[in-house]
Amino acid sequence: MIKDLPDNVVQDIAVAVALESENIEGKVWYVYLINLKNEPIENVLITSKGYGEKDGQQVKTSTLRHMFPKVEPNTYTIIEPIDEQTFGLNNEYWLSYYIGSNIYDKKFIFLPESIVDMNLIKLPVVNKPGVMIK
């Protein structure tokens, strides 16, 4: 079945984890979908989950599903908040969307301990510090 799907390559789309704010209680992080294209993407579906090993035990978070009817060109949308406690896990975001009648999909995985201060950049469009996968 997968072999029957066209080879549509995802380009100019990013998933980023951005630092929203910081206070004495801790840091607040959000996951963003960034459309760097010059055209909108439609019927956007994102599934997110975390998995890996923590303290010698296999851990799996709930799978969450998010739907956005349209993400305009050169804009972003917030996918979900993310807890710092999951940064030691693989955080996977599987994205599917349409441009016209063509479907595109790609899996973005933030590896354990990749969301750290030394990897922060200024995110395009969002203009906040964060870690981005394109």
Side-chain angles (χ1 to χ4, degrees), residues 2-100:
I2 289 181
K3 66 179 173 32
D4 297 328
L5 293 174
D7 231 3
N8 296 337
V9 178
V10 172
Q11 294 178 327
D12 299 325
I13 299 291
V15 174
V17 176
L19 178 60
E20 289 295 310
S21 64
E22 208 172 342
N23 58 38
I24 57 173
E25 295 170 3
K27 296 178 180 178
V28 177
W29 300 85
Y30 281 96
V31 182
Y32 287 86
L33 172 66
I34 306 171
N35 181 4
L36 299 167
K37 294 180 168 300
N38 292 322
E39 59 189 326
I41 58 176
E42 298 178 319
N43 297 320
V44 180
L45 177 65
I46 301 169
T47 59
S48 64
K49 66 181 177 181
Y51 57 89
E53 192 174 305
K54 190 167 186 163
D55 301 326
Q57 301 223 10
Q58 289 298 313
V59 177
K60 217 180 343 182
T61 67
S62 299
T63 298
L64 302 176
R65 290 169 183 79
H66 310 276
M67 201 310 183
F68 306 99
K70 187 182 230 180
V71 180
E72 295 293 339
N74 294 302
T75 63
Y76 62 85
T77 189
I78 294 175
I79 299 172
E80 64 186 13
I82 186 170
D83 192 318
E84 282 184 295
Q85 293 180 14
T86 65
F87 290 175
L89 302 174
N90 293 297
N91 287 285
E92 176 184 297
Y93 296 87
W94 195 333
L95 166 72
S96 295
Y97 62 91
Y98 284 86
I99 296 178

